[in-house]
PDB file of all heavy atoms in Angstrom:
ATOM      1  N   VAL A 665      23.158  69.593  51.559  1.00 98.00           N
ATOM      2  CA  VAL A 665      23.309  68.224  52.064  1.00 98.00           C
ATOM      3  C   VAL A 665      22.662  68.070  53.437  1.00 98.00           C
ATOM      4  O   VAL A 665      22.372  66.947  53.865  1.00 98.00           O
ATOM      5  CB  VAL A 665      24.795  67.809  52.120  1.00 98.00           C
ATOM      6  CG1 VAL A 665      25.391  67.768  50.709  1.00 98.00           C
ATOM      7  CG2 VAL A 665      25.607  68.761  53.017  1.00 98.00           C
ATOM      8  N   SER A 666      22.428  69.170  54.148  1.00 98.00           N
ATOM      9  CA  SER A 666      21.747  69.136  55.447  1.00 98.00           C
ATOM     10  C   SER A 666      21.209  70.529  55.735  1.00 98.00           C
ATOM     11  O   SER A 666      21.613  71.516  55.106  1.00 98.00           O
ATOM     12  CB  SER A 666      22.710  68.713  56.566  1.00 98.00           C
ATOM     13  OG  SER A 666      23.699  69.713  56.778  1.00 98.00           O
ATOM     14  N   ASP A 667      20.302  70.605  56.705  1.00 96.00           N
ATOM     15  CA  ASP A 667      19.778  71.918  57.090  1.00 96.00           C
ATOM     16  C   ASP A 667      20.883  72.819  57.641  1.00 96.00           C
ATOM     17  O   ASP A 667      20.907  74.022  57.359  1.00 96.00           O
ATOM     18  CB  ASP A 667      18.678  71.755  58.149  1.00 96.00           C
ATOM     19  CG  ASP A 667      17.412  71.135  57.595  1.00 96.00           C
ATOM     20  OD1 ASP A 667      17.291  70.993  56.353  1.00 96.00           O
ATOM     21  OD2 ASP A 667      16.530  70.773  58.404  1.00 96.00           O
ATOM     22  N   GLU A 668      21.786  72.238  58.422  1.00 94.00           N
ATOM     23  CA  GLU A 668      22.867  73.041  58.996  1.00 94.00           C
ATOM     24  C   GLU A 668      23.802  73.558  57.910  1.00 94.00           C
ATOM     25  O   GLU A 668      24.266  74.691  57.958  1.00 94.00           O
ATOM     26  CB  GLU A 668      23.641  72.225  60.023  1.00 94.00           C
ATOM     27  CG  GLU A 668      24.791  72.967  60.709  1.00 94.00           C
ATOM     28  CD  GLU A 668      24.352  74.226  61.440  1.00 94.00           C
ATOM     29  OE1 GLU A 668      23.154  74.353  61.786  1.00 94.00           O
ATOM     30  OE2 GLU A 668      25.216  75.102  61.675  1.00 94.00           O
ATOM     31  N   SER A 669      24.069  72.722  56.899  1.00 97.00           N
ATOM     32  CA  SER A 669      24.899  73.171  55.786  1.00 97.00           C
ATOM     33  C   SER A 669      24.216  74.308  55.039  1.00 97.00           C
ATOM     34  O   SER A 669      24.860  75.300  54.657  1.00 97.00           O
ATOM     35  CB  SER A 669      25.172  72.007  54.834  1.00 97.00           C
ATOM     36  OG  SER A 669      26.010  72.413  53.768  1.00 97.00           O
ATOM     37  N   ALA A 670      22.903  74.198  54.862  1.00 97.00           N
ATOM     38  CA  ALA A 670      22.150  75.266  54.202  1.00 97.00           C
ATOM     39  C   ALA A 670      22.239  76.561  54.997  1.00 97.00           C
ATOM     40  O   ALA A 670      22.383  77.652  54.425  1.00 97.00           O
ATOM     41  CB  ALA A 670      20.695  74.842  54.038  1.00 97.00           C
ATOM     42  N   ARG A 671      22.150  76.462  56.332  1.00 94.00           N
ATOM     43  CA  ARG A 671      22.245  77.656  57.170  1.00 94.00           C
ATOM     44  C   ARG A 671      23.608  78.325  57.008  1.00 94.00           C
ATOM     45  O   ARG A 671      23.708  79.554  56.903  1.00 94.00           O
ATOM     46  CB  ARG A 671      22.004  77.295  58.636  1.00 94.00           C
ATOM     47  CG  ARG A 671      21.875  78.496  59.566  1.00 94.00           C
ATOM     48  CD  ARG A 671      21.643  78.048  61.002  1.00 94.00           C
ATOM     49  NE  ARG A 671      22.874  77.605  61.631  1.00 94.00           N
ATOM     50  CZ  ARG A 671      23.679  78.404  62.353  1.00 94.00           C
ATOM     51  NH1 ARG A 671      23.361  79.661  62.536  1.00 94.00           N
ATOM     52  NH2 ARG A 671      24.780  77.934  62.887  1.00 94.00           N
ATOM     53  N   LYS A 672      24.669  77.531  56.971  1.00 94.00           N
ATOM     54  CA  LYS A 672      26.009  78.097  56.840  1.00 94.00           C
ATOM     55  C   LYS A 672      26.202  78.771  55.485  1.00 94.00           C
ATOM     56  O   LYS A 672      26.842  79.822  55.383  1.00 94.00           O
ATOM     57  CB  LYS A 672      27.054  77.007  57.067  1.00 94.00           C
ATOM     58  CG  LYS A 672      27.126  76.526  58.510  1.00 94.00           C
ATOM     59  CD  LYS A 672      28.149  75.417  58.691  1.00 94.00           C
ATOM     60  CE  LYS A 672      28.223  74.966  60.151  1.00 94.00           C
ATOM     61  NZ  LYS A 672      29.192  73.858  60.335  1.00 94.00           N
ATOM     62  N   VAL A 673      25.663  78.174  54.444  1.00 97.00           N
ATOM     63  CA  VAL A 673      25.745  78.801  53.126  1.00 97.00           C
ATOM     64  C   VAL A 673      24.958  80.111  53.126  1.00 97.00           C
ATOM     65  O   VAL A 673      25.420  81.147  52.623  1.00 97.00           O
ATOM     66  CB  VAL A 673      25.214  77.850  52.037  1.00 97.00           C
ATOM     67  CG1 VAL A 673      25.088  78.588  50.697  1.00 97.00           C
ATOM     68  CG2 VAL A 673      26.130  76.641  51.888  1.00 97.00           C
ATOM     69  N   GLY A 674      23.765  80.070  53.725  1.00 96.00           N
ATOM     70  CA  GLY A 674      22.956  81.282  53.803  1.00 96.00           C
ATOM     71  C   GLY A 674      23.663  82.395  54.543  1.00 96.00           C
ATOM     72  O   GLY A 674      23.608  83.571  54.131  1.00 96.00           O
ATOM     73  N   LEU A 675      24.335  82.053  55.623  1.00 93.00           N
ATOM     74  CA  LEU A 675      25.040  83.066  56.402  1.00 93.00           C
ATOM     75  C   LEU A 675      26.253  83.622  55.649  1.00 93.00           C
ATOM     76  O   LEU A 675      26.590  84.801  55.793  1.00 93.00           O
ATOM     77  CB  LEU A 675      25.463  82.488  57.748  1.00 93.00           C
ATOM     78  CG  LEU A 675      24.310  82.225  58.719  1.00 93.00           C
ATOM     79  CD1 LEU A 675      24.795  81.464  59.935  1.00 93.00           C
ATOM     80  CD2 LEU A 675      23.668  83.543  59.134  1.00 93.00           C
ATOM     81  N   ALA A 676      26.911  82.782  54.854  1.00 95.00           N
ATOM     82  CA  ALA A 676      28.034  83.276  54.049  1.00 95.00           C
ATOM     83  C   ALA A 676      27.548  84.335  53.066  1.00 95.00           C
ATOM     84  O   ALA A 676      28.214  85.351  52.828  1.00 95.00           O
ATOM     85  CB  ALA A 676      28.700  82.117  53.308  1.00 95.00           C
ATOM     86  N   ILE A 677      26.364  84.119  52.503  1.00 97.00           N
ATOM     87  CA  ILE A 677      25.782  85.094  51.591  1.00 97.00           C
ATOM     88  C   ILE A 677      25.365  86.351  52.363  1.00 97.00           C
ATOM     89  O   ILE A 677      25.668  87.481  51.971  1.00 97.00           O
ATOM     90  CB  ILE A 677      24.570  84.486  50.865  1.00 97.00           C
ATOM     91  CG1 ILE A 677      24.992  83.279  50.022  1.00 97.00           C
ATOM     92  CG2 ILE A 677      23.866  85.533  50.008  1.00 97.00           C
ATOM     93  CD1 ILE A 677      23.836  82.430  49.533  1.00 97.00           C
ATOM     94  N   ALA A 678      24.664  86.141  53.465  1.00 95.00           N
ATOM     95  CA  ALA A 678      24.121  87.259  54.241  1.00 95.00           C
ATOM     96  C   ALA A 678      25.205  88.117  54.870  1.00 95.00           C
ATOM     97  O   ALA A 678      24.978  89.300  55.144  1.00 95.00           O
ATOM     98  CB  ALA A 678      23.188  86.728  55.322  1.00 95.00           C
ATOM     99  N   ASN A 679      26.373  87.540  55.112  1.00 93.00           N
ATOM    100  CA  ASN A 679      27.474  88.290  55.727  1.00 93.00           C
ATOM    101  C   ASN A 679      28.424  88.897  54.705  1.00 93.00           C
ATOM    102  O   ASN A 679      29.364  89.601  55.082  1.00 93.00           O
ATOM    103  CB  ASN A 679      28.268  87.388  56.674  1.00 93.00           C
ATOM    104  CG  ASN A 679      27.615  87.250  58.032  1.00 93.00           C
ATOM    105  OD1 ASN A 679      27.054  88.213  58.548  1.00 93.00           O
ATOM    106  ND2 ASN A 679      27.687  86.064  58.615  1.00 93.00           N
ATOM    107  N   SER A 680      28.214  88.633  53.448  1.00 95.00           N
ATOM    108  CA  SER A 680      29.142  89.129  52.426  1.00 95.00           C
ATOM    109  C   SER A 680      28.960  90.632  52.204  1.00 95.00           C
ATOM    110  O   SER A 680      27.889  91.081  51.766  1.00 95.00           O
ATOM    111  CB  SER A 680      28.901  88.401  51.103  1.00 95.00           C
ATOM    112  OG  SER A 680      29.554  89.075  50.042  1.00 95.00           O
ATOM    113  N   PRO A 681      29.991  91.445  52.458  1.00 94.00           N
ATOM    114  CA  PRO A 681      29.874  92.881  52.177  1.00 94.00           C
ATOM    115  C   PRO A 681      29.584  93.157  50.702  1.00 94.00           C
ATOM    116  O   PRO A 681      28.867  94.103  50.372  1.00 94.00           O
ATOM    117  CB  PRO A 681      31.239  93.438  52.594  1.00 94.00           C
ATOM    118  CG  PRO A 681      31.773  92.457  53.580  1.00 94.00           C
ATOM    119  CD  PRO A 681      31.285  91.126  53.094  1.00 94.00           C
ATOM    120  N   LEU A 682      30.116  92.311  49.805  1.00 95.00           N
ATOM    121  CA  LEU A 682      29.881  92.521  48.382  1.00 95.00           C
ATOM    122  C   LEU A 682      28.427  92.272  48.014  1.00 95.00           C
ATOM    123  O   LEU A 682      27.836  93.021  47.222  1.00 95.00           O
ATOM    124  CB  LEU A 682      30.808  91.617  47.558  1.00 95.00           C
ATOM    125  CG  LEU A 682      32.278  92.022  47.542  1.00 95.00           C
ATOM    126  CD1 LEU A 682      33.093  91.000  46.771  1.00 95.00           C
ATOM    127  CD2 LEU A 682      32.461  93.404  46.949  1.00 95.00           C
ATOM    128  N   VAL A 683      27.831  91.238  48.580  1.00 96.00           N
ATOM    129  CA  VAL A 683      26.418  90.970  48.317  1.00 96.00           C
ATOM    130  C   VAL A 683      25.556  92.075  48.917  1.00 96.00           C
ATOM    131  O   VAL A 683      24.644  92.611  48.273  1.00 96.00           O
ATOM    132  CB  VAL A 683      25.996  89.597  48.890  1.00 96.00           C
ATOM    133  CG1 VAL A 683      24.482  89.414  48.796  1.00 96.00           C
ATOM    134  CG2 VAL A 683      26.706  88.474  48.154  1.00 96.00           C
ATOM    135  N   LYS A 684      25.845  92.452  50.152  1.00 95.00           N
ATOM    136  CA  LYS A 684      25.023  93.436  50.861  1.00 95.00           C
ATOM    137  C   LYS A 684      25.109  94.824  50.215  1.00 95.00           C
ATOM    138  O   LYS A 684      24.119  95.556  50.142  1.00 95.00           O
ATOM    139  CB  LYS A 684      25.434  93.491  52.334  1.00 95.00           C
ATOM    140  CG  LYS A 684      25.032  92.234  53.108  1.00 95.00           C
ATOM    141  CD  LYS A 684      25.883  92.011  54.355  1.00 95.00           C
ATOM    142  CE  LYS A 684      25.602  92.996  55.444  1.00 95.00           C
ATOM    143  NZ  LYS A 684      24.347  92.692  56.157  1.00 95.00           N
ATOM    144  N   THR A 685      26.291  95.199  49.725  1.00 95.00           N
ATOM    145  CA  THR A 685      26.411  96.498  49.065  1.00 95.00           C
ATOM    146  C   THR A 685      25.784  96.467  47.671  1.00 95.00           C
ATOM    147  O   THR A 685      25.237  97.479  47.212  1.00 95.00           O
ATOM    148  CB  THR A 685      27.877  96.951  48.981  1.00 95.00           C
ATOM    149  OG1 THR A 685      28.680  95.881  48.426  1.00 95.00           O
ATOM    150  CG2 THR A 685      28.407  97.318  50.350  1.00 95.00           C
ATOM    151  N   ALA A 686      25.846  95.315  46.987  1.00 96.00           N
ATOM    152  CA  ALA A 686      25.179  95.211  45.684  1.00 96.00           C
ATOM    153  C   ALA A 686      23.673  95.413  45.841  1.00 96.00           C
ATOM    154  O   ALA A 686      23.038  96.135  45.051  1.00 96.00           O
ATOM    155  CB  ALA A 686      25.466  93.852  45.056  1.00 96.00           C
ATOM    156  N   ILE A 687      23.103  94.807  46.884  1.00 97.00           N
ATOM    157  CA  ILE A 687      21.665  94.966  47.110  1.00 97.00           C
ATOM    158  C   ILE A 687      21.355  96.407  47.533  1.00 97.00           C
ATOM    159  O   ILE A 687      20.338  96.973  47.129  1.00 97.00           O
ATOM    160  CB  ILE A 687      21.178  93.939  48.140  1.00 97.00           C
ATOM    161  CG1 ILE A 687      21.271  92.531  47.527  1.00 97.00           C
ATOM    162  CG2 ILE A 687      19.746  94.235  48.580  1.00 97.00           C
ATOM    163  CD1 ILE A 687      20.906  91.407  48.465  1.00 97.00           C
ATOM    164  N   ALA A 688      22.243  97.002  48.317  1.00 96.00           N
ATOM    165  CA  ALA A 688      22.047  98.414  48.673  1.00 96.00           C
ATOM    166  C   ALA A 688      22.011  99.281  47.424  1.00 96.00           C
ATOM    167  O   ALA A 688      21.242 100.246  47.340  1.00 96.00           O
ATOM    168  CB  ALA A 688      23.162  98.883  49.608  1.00 96.00           C
ATOM    169  N   GLY A 689      22.846  98.937  46.434  1.00 96.00           N
ATOM    170  CA  GLY A 689      22.892  99.685  45.181  1.00 96.00           C
ATOM    171  C   GLY A 689      21.886  99.206  44.152  1.00 96.00           C
ATOM    172  O   GLY A 689      21.905  99.669  43.011  1.00 96.00           O
ATOM    173  N   GLU A 690      21.030  98.244  44.569  1.00 96.00           N
ATOM    174  CA  GLU A 690      19.976  97.702  43.695  1.00 96.00           C
ATOM    175  C   GLU A 690      20.570  97.122  42.422  1.00 96.00           C
ATOM    176  O   GLU A 690      20.018  97.255  41.321  1.00 96.00           O
ATOM    177  CB  GLU A 690      18.931  98.782  43.401  1.00 96.00           C
ATOM    178  CG  GLU A 690      18.281  99.293  44.686  1.00 96.00           C
ATOM    179  CD  GLU A 690      17.363 100.477  44.478  1.00 96.00           C
ATOM    180  OE1 GLU A 690      17.280 100.979  43.336  1.00 96.00           O
ATOM    181  OE2 GLU A 690      16.734 100.919  45.468  1.00 96.00           O
ATOM    182  N   ASP A 691      21.709  96.426  42.579  1.00 94.00           N
ATOM    183  CA  ASP A 691      22.435  95.821  41.466  1.00 94.00           C
ATOM    184  C   ASP A 691      22.226  94.303  41.502  1.00 94.00           C
ATOM    185  O   ASP A 691      22.599  93.647  42.475  1.00 94.00           O
ATOM    186  CB  ASP A 691      23.929  96.165  41.593  1.00 94.00           C
ATOM    187  CG  ASP A 691      24.774  95.529  40.505  1.00 94.00           C
ATOM    188  OD1 ASP A 691      24.204  94.972  39.539  1.00 94.00           O
ATOM    189  OD2 ASP A 691      26.013  95.582  40.628  1.00 94.00           O
ATOM    190  N   ALA A 692      21.653  93.737  40.447  1.00 90.00           N
ATOM    191  CA  ALA A 692      21.372  92.293  40.387  1.00 90.00           C
ATOM    192  C   ALA A 692      22.629  91.512  40.035  1.00 90.00           C
ATOM    193  O   ALA A 692      22.666  90.746  39.057  1.00 90.00           O
ATOM    194  CB  ALA A 692      20.269  92.028  39.364  1.00 90.00           C
ATOM    195  N   ASN A 693      23.649  91.669  40.834  1.00 92.00           N
ATOM    196  CA  ASN A 693      24.945  91.031  40.567  1.00 92.00           C
ATOM    197  C   ASN A 693      24.969  89.641  41.193  1.00 92.00           C
ATOM    198  O   ASN A 693      25.488  89.447  42.283  1.00 92.00           O
ATOM    199  CB  ASN A 693      26.059  91.920  41.131  1.00 92.00           C
ATOM    200  CG  ASN A 693      27.439  91.473  40.677  1.00 92.00           C
ATOM    201  OD1 ASN A 693      27.624  90.333  40.255  1.00 92.00           O
ATOM    202  ND2 ASN A 693      28.400  92.372  40.766  1.00 92.00           N
ATOM    203  N   TRP A 694      24.399  88.677  40.479  1.00 93.00           N
ATOM    204  CA  TRP A 694      24.303  87.328  41.045  1.00 93.00           C
ATOM    205  C   TRP A 694      25.650  86.629  41.131  1.00 93.00           C
ATOM    206  O   TRP A 694      25.813  85.661  41.863  1.00 93.00           O
ATOM    207  CB  TRP A 694      23.287  86.483  40.273  1.00 93.00           C
ATOM    208  CG  TRP A 694      23.516  86.360  38.785  1.00 93.00           C
ATOM    209  CD1 TRP A 694      22.995  87.152  37.818  1.00 93.00           C
ATOM    210  CD2 TRP A 694      24.309  85.383  38.116  1.00 93.00           C
ATOM    211  NE1 TRP A 694      23.410  86.753  36.570  1.00 93.00           N
ATOM    212  CE2 TRP A 694      24.212  85.649  36.727  1.00 93.00           C
ATOM    213  CE3 TRP A 694      25.081  84.314  38.527  1.00 93.00           C
ATOM    214  CZ2 TRP A 694      24.869  84.877  35.765  1.00 93.00           C
ATOM    215  CZ3 TRP A 694      25.741  83.533  37.576  1.00 93.00           C
ATOM    216  CH2 TRP A 694      25.628  83.826  36.217  1.00 93.00           C
ATOM    217  N   GLY A 695      26.659  87.156  40.447  1.00 94.00           N
ATOM    218  CA  GLY A 695      28.003  86.581  40.552  1.00 94.00           C
ATOM    219  C   GLY A 695      28.558  86.686  41.963  1.00 94.00           C
ATOM    220  O   GLY A 695      29.320  85.828  42.412  1.00 94.00           O
ATOM    221  N   ARG A 696      28.145  87.732  42.679  1.00 96.00           N
ATOM    222  CA  ARG A 696      28.603  87.882  44.066  1.00 96.00           C
ATOM    223  C   ARG A 696      27.989  86.806  44.961  1.00 96.00           C
ATOM    224  O   ARG A 696      28.610  86.372  45.930  1.00 96.00           O
ATOM    225  CB  ARG A 696      28.251  89.271  44.588  1.00 96.00           C
ATOM    226  CG  ARG A 696      29.033  90.380  43.887  1.00 96.00           C
ATOM    227  CD  ARG A 696      28.768  91.752  44.493  1.00 96.00           C
ATOM    228  NE  ARG A 696      29.600  92.773  43.844  1.00 96.00           N
ATOM    229  CZ  ARG A 696      29.634  94.041  44.203  1.00 96.00           C
ATOM    230  NH1 ARG A 696      28.875  94.464  45.213  1.00 96.00           N
ATOM    231  NH2 ARG A 696      30.417  94.906  43.569  1.00 96.00           N
TER     232      ARG A 696
END
């Protein structure tokens, strides 16, 4: 809905330990 909203969503993804560990394990777990 706005650039700032997009940034906050992006940061929620980038800060997620589950997302970051899935990528570390090379797991395409898009549910995270």
